[in-house]
């Protein structure tokens, strides 16, 4: 029986019938005679026994046409020679942000950390927020073997017990991962933010968030309806050194702990307060929340099969990151439209059919 129920049974001729019983096999369809109920094909290969984890994984990847072969020698030859170091020329071509308290917030177990954030107050009383994206372009040059391979794969694919990388691990899990306490190349989007009401501070509790402890209770919706205004935005290549790699849960606990008042904790609270205002404004403009429940697989260890499934708990820190990624996308789109209006394209989703609301 085909795994995809849209495909009919395929009749094949083979002398290995007994050997293939109970196995998942790959079959190629050759022809379908008008007088036959079923198409004809031929046996290509066996994937293994039904129910075997490796077999089922291989079948799943093949069914959805997900490239998962080993990286070729040609692709691996594009990788930098180790040990990799930052040169003086690199430092001259990039803005050095290693003195700023930059952090990342990701799911537990994440090793390919591709974005990080920072918050700080400026001397003029405005706030500065930065989104820093791993600069993969430094290592993946256009029209190279590794670039072609990445375009063919399109994205990294996550299974319950395995990750299929878009790029070799040296890049995805190391040099292009914004891990804490190591120097990394990034492309930064940094905003100078101010309040829509000059008579009120951008953040309701205090503009001295890094000097005066802020309690979690200060971060509620409250009656503060001031909006975030962008006074300036810059885009540039940078060198960063993340101070800490948080999970969503760790960042949430850090933010909510009334006994914490260090600079990193205060910056997370500042990010949360600004994200809350950005989120409220998006909803006022008609934004929809379309996220569906996510699940995570529980296993006794990395080698065992999943033992249970649980709903993934979404926290405030999840949408904190989401808001600033959206703001970065919006800001970049505006800059592209300003600078390359004759080339800029807008992707618009069609109006959903009425039947979608009835299901």
């Amino acid at each position: 029986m085909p795994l995809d129920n849209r495909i009919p049974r395929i009749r094949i001729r083979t002398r290995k019938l007994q050997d293939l019983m109970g196995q998942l096999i790959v079959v190629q369809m050759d022809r379908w005679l008008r007088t036959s109920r079923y198409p004809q094909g031929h046996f290509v290969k066996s994937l293994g026994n039904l129910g075997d984890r490796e077999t089922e994984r291989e079948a799943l990847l093949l069914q959805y046409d997900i490239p998962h072969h080993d990286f070729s020698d040609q692709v691996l030859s594009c990788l930098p020679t180790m040990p990799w170091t930052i040169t003086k020329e690199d430092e001259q071509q990039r803005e050095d942000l290693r003195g700023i308290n930059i952090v990342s917030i990701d799911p537990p177990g994440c090793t390919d950390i591709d974005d990080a954030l920072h918050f700080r107050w400026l001397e003029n009383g405005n706030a500065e927020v930065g989104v820093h994206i791993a600069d993969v372009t430094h290592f993946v040059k256009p029209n190279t073997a590794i670039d072609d391979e990445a375009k063919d794969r399109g994205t990294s694919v996550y299974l319950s017990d395995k990750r299929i990388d878009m790029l070799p691990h040296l890049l995805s899990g190391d040099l292009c991962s914004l891990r804490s306490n190591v120097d990394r190349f990034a492309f930064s989007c940094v905003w100078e933010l101010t309040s829509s009401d000059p008579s009120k501070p951008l953040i309701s509790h205090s503009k001295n968030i890094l000097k005066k402890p802020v309690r979690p209770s200060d971060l509620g919706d409250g009656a503060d309806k001031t909006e975030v205004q962008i006074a300036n935005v810059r885009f540039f290549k940078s060198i960063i050194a993340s101070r800490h790699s948080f999970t969503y849960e760790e960042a949430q606990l850090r933010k909510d702990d009334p006994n914490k008042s260090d600079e990193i904790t205060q910056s997370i609270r500042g990010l949360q307060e600004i994200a809350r205002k950005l989120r409220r404004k998006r909803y006022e403009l008609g934004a929809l929340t379309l996220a569906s429940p996510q699940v995570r697989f529980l296993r006794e260890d990395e080698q065992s099969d999943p033992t249970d499934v649980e709903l993934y708990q979404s926290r405030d820190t999840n949408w904190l990151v989401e808001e600033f990624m959206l703001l970065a996308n919006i800001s970049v789109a505006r800059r592209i439209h300003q600078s390359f209006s004759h080339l800029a394209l807008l992707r618009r989703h069609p109006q959903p059919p009425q039947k979608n609301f009835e299901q």
Side-chain angles (χ1 to χ4, degrees):
M1 291 289 293
L3 294 178
D4 189 336
N5 57 18
R6 296 172 298 177
I7 299 175
R9 299 183 184 185
I10 302 173
R11 182 180 287 118
I12 65 171
R13 292 180 179 273
T14 179
R15 297 177 181 177
K16 303 178 180 179
L17 179 60
Q18 294 302 319
D19 295 337
L20 298 179
M21 295 296 290
Q23 294 194 0
L24 272 174
I25 64 174
V26 177
V27 171
Q28 179 172 318
M29 186 186 300
D30 297 325
R31 61 178 181 170
W32 195 342
L33 298 176
R34 296 178 63 183
T35 57
S36 175
R37 183 176 181 180
Y38 300 112
Q40 296 178 357
H42 66 273
F43 169 78
V44 177
K45 65 178 180 178
S46 172
L47 301 181
N49 294 325
L50 280 165
D52 178 76
R53 183 171 60 175
E54 295 292 332
T55 300
E56 298 290 344
R57 178 200 296 156
E58 181 72 10
L60 184 66
L61 295 171
L62 290 173
Q63 180 182 358
Y64 290 97
D65 197 24
I66 298 173
H68 56 287
H69 50 268
D70 292 337
F71 291 103
S72 67
D73 291 339
Q74 191 175 11
V75 169
L76 296 177
S77 68
C78 298
L79 297 174
T81 302
M82 297 299 287
W84 174 79
T85 57
I86 295 176
T87 66
K88 291 292 184 181
E89 183 181 0
D90 292 329
E91 293 179 335
Q92 293 172 358
Q93 296 174 350
R94 293 174 178 269
E95 192 163 327
D96 193 340
L97 303 182
R98 287 174 285 188
I100 297 178
N101 287 324
I102 295 173
V103 299
S104 62
I105 307 175
D106 292 282
C110 180
T111 58
D112 51 340
I113 302 172
D114 54 10
D115 57 72
L117 301 156
H118 86 262
F119 168 94
R120 65 176 179 174
W121 289 106
L122 301 175
E123 291 295 327
N124 62 5
N126 292 340
E128 180 184 270
V129 171
V131 165
H132 312 278
I133 307 296
D135 188 2
V136 182
T137 62
H138 179 82
F139 301 98
V140 180
K141 302 303 181 183
N143 303 318
T144 58
I146 195 169
D147 181 41
D148 292 339
E149 182 70 23
K151 285 187 287 188
D152 184 47
R153 297 191 178 215
T155 184
S156 295
V157 177
Y158 296 83
L159 305 177
S160 63
D161 61 346
K162 186 179 178 67
R163 187 181 76 212
I164 311 297
D165 287 323
M166 183 179 72
L167 295 169
H169 180 74
L170 178 62
L171 296 185
S172 63
D174 190 353
L175 300 183
C176 294
S177 180
L178 306 181
R179 300 181 301 166
S180 57
N181 302 313
V182 289
D183 294 346
R184 289 292 179 260
F185 288 160
F187 202 99
S188 298
C189 176
V190 177
W191 302 274
E192 181 180 346
L193 305 176
T194 187
S195 171
S196 60
D197 185 346
S199 66
K200 296 181 179 180
L202 175 62
I203 294 178
S204 58
H205 39 71
S206 171
K207 73 177 183 179
N208 297 316
I209 187 171
L210 300 184
K211 300 176 182 178
K212 178 181 177 182
V214 178
R215 303 307 175 192
S217 58
D218 295 329
L219 300 179
D221 288 338
D224 178 21
K225 299 301 180 182
T226 57
E227 296 177 2
V228 177
Q229 287 192 339
I230 299 175
N232 184 38
V233 59
R234 297 192 301 129
F235 309 94
F236 53 91
K237 291 188 175 184
S238 59
I239 304 175
I240 71 169
S242 172
R243 293 289 192 270
H244 196 95
S245 300
F246 288 101
T247 65
Y248 290 121
E249 182 179 12
E250 289 171 345
Q252 186 74 38
L253 293 173
R254 185 81 167 254
K255 178 183 75 71
D256 293 341
D257 188 345
N259 298 314
K260 294 282 188 180
S261 59
D262 57 275
E263 290 188 358
I264 291 178
T265 302
Q266 297 289 58
S267 66
I268 294 175
R269 291 173 182 160
L271 289 168
Q272 185 75 66
E273 178 75 351
I274 294 174
R276 179 181 64 81
K277 296 190 176 193
L278 293 172
R279 187 181 181 90
R280 183 186 65 206
K281 183 63 176 178
R282 282 200 307 112
Y283 286 162
E284 289 175 354
L285 294 175
L288 296 176
T289 300
L290 301 175
S292 57
Q294 297 183 3
V295 298
R296 57 180 298 191
F297 295 92
L298 302 180
R299 293 183 294 154
E300 293 181 357
D301 56 64
E302 293 184 358
Q303 303 301 320
S304 64
D305 292 331
T307 57
D308 201 356
V309 177
E310 68 176 14
L311 285 176
Y312 183 79
Q313 182 181 356
S314 182
R315 298 174 170 84
D316 289 347
T317 45
N318 289 74
W319 59 260
L320 179 161
V321 176
E322 175 186 333
E323 285 303 318
F324 288 111
M325 295 305 114
L326 284 171
L327 185 62
N329 284 335
I330 293 169
S331 298
V332 170
R334 286 174 175 162
R335 178 58 59 87
I336 290 174
H337 185 258
Q338 291 171 1
S339 303
F340 308 101
S341 58
H342 62 296
L343 298 174
L345 300 175
L346 175 64
R347 185 185 71 174
R348 299 185 66 179
H349 296 285
Q351 186 79 10
Q354 183 61 33
K355 65 179 182 180
N356 286 8
F357 295 97
E358 298 170 354
Q359 294 177 349

